[in-house]
Amino acid sequence: MWSRPISQPARKTLVASLRDALRQQIESGHFRIGERLPSEAQLTREHGVSRTVVREAVAALRADGLVEPRQGSGVYVLEPEAPVPAPFSDVDMDRLSSVIELLELRTAVEVEAAGLAAQRRSPSQEEYILECLRAVTLCNSAGRNSSEEDFALHLAIAEATNNPRFPEFLIMVGANSIPRRALDSQTQVPMAERYGEMINDEHDKIVTAILNGDEDAARAAMRTHLRGSQQRYRNLLRGTGG
């Protein structure tokens, strides 16, 4: 009796189902590390699928690093590879040297972001940048922890580049990269009034240049701001010997 071949979408569903079933058996320990999987013929019988489906499912497991075919012997379960840590997940913000490393990286990215924001910002983005500036200025003037508001301002500038990779980068680095946050956790020393005024002035120069559409001044102001933060942390590092 003639029968139609399995369609491509149907076969893909069968492959995915078998792949997931075998993965679950491997991860649960039903098939242990170094153990050989059942033969192609056994898997065909047990799961009611064709040899083609079995081969594709095994190939998918191999691509995921879960199994390894060995010539003339069969397919064996591999020890899972150690997961690759997410970017910046191993940064120790209690170490001043880690803060300096992130500030150097941020400088490389955010100086250009400020210049692009001066070129490309929209009226609504200008308005939001000003809102963020007012919020961080109020916090600094009151001597309160301004790390969240500071990060929001830098993120607003990154978003005003209208290149999504800039805000993605800042979000990936995270709010912990804001110097004030790290400094507070490191020293538990309240921010001096003079320091708050200095940061407010630096922020104001960055935002003014962006709103004026002055790319060069925006880059220069952002560079001064972030390099100043680097220097303050280097001075602290030398002073503490940490």
Side-chain angles (χ1 to χ4, degrees):
M1 180 180 174
W2 179 84
S3 62
R4 288 186 305 177
I6 298 174
S7 68
Q8 189 74 5
R11 192 175 85 239
K12 285 186 176 180
T13 301
L14 290 173
V15 170
S17 296
L18 179 57
R19 177 204 63 205
D20 292 345
L22 292 173
R23 180 194 295 275
Q24 192 279 328
Q25 289 178 312
I26 291 169
E27 291 176 347
S28 68
H30 179 77
F31 296 128
R32 295 184 296 276
I33 296 168
E35 185 176 348
R36 188 175 65 180
L37 291 185
S39 68
E40 191 177 280
Q42 284 178 280
L43 290 173
T44 297
R45 286 194 305 272
E46 289 173 11
H47 295 274
V49 295
S50 69
R51 287 177 178 267
T52 301
V53 168
V54 170
R55 287 169 189 158
E56 290 185 28
V58 169
L61 294 174
R62 182 184 184 185
D64 290 342
L66 293 175
V67 299
E68 175 187 60
R70 296 176 188 170
Q71 187 67 35
S73 179
V75 178
Y76 290 81
V77 177
L78 294 175
E79 185 172 0
E81 295 180 1
V84 177
F88 306 107
S89 62
D90 62 345
V91 175
D92 182 1
M93 294 308 296
D94 287 332
R95 292 183 60 83
L96 293 172
S97 57
S98 291
V99 179
I100 293 168
E101 288 169 356
L102 281 183
L103 281 169
E104 288 179 347
L105 182 59
R106 284 184 55 207
T107 301
V109 174
E110 291 194 66
V111 166
E112 182 60 18
L116 291 175
Q119 270 185 289
R120 301 174 178 175
R121 83 276 177 215
S122 68
S124 62
Q125 287 169 333
E126 287 187 359
E127 184 177 21
Y128 184 58
I129 288 171
L130 282 170
E131 285 179 21
C132 292
L133 176 65
R134 282 192 288 270
V136 71
T137 299
L138 285 172
C139 281
N140 286 335
S141 297
R144 300 196 305 269
N145 186 309
S146 62
S147 55
E148 297 293 344
E149 291 79 7
D150 197 318
F151 184 71
L153 174 60
H154 283 267
L155 187 59
I157 292 169
E159 288 169 345
T161 66
N162 289 298
N163 176 337
R165 305 309 172 198
F166 282 93
E168 281 175 13
F169 166 79
L170 273 189
I171 290 168
M172 182 170 61
V173 172
N176 275 327
S177 64
I178 296 299
R180 171 71 199 286
R181 174 191 289 264
L183 185 61
D184 284 347
S185 65
Q186 174 78 19
T187 65
Q188 299 300 316
V189 176
M191 182 174 65
E193 183 177 336
R194 185 178 62 81
Y195 178 77
E197 291 173 355
M198 178 177 60
I199 296 301
N200 285 344
D201 182 60
E202 290 176 3
H203 283 156
D204 188 66
K205 287 177 179 175
I206 294 167
V207 171
T208 298
I210 289 172
L211 300 189
N212 287 342
D214 191 333
E215 301 170 44
D216 292 338
R219 290 188 180 96
M222 184 66 82
R223 185 180 294 109
T224 297
H225 174 54
L226 292 176
R227 284 188 175 172
S229 293
Q230 290 177 40
Q231 189 57 53
R232 286 187 283 274
Y233 273 83
R234 286 194 172 93
N235 292 341
L236 186 58
L237 184 63
R238 293 186 189 109
T240 60

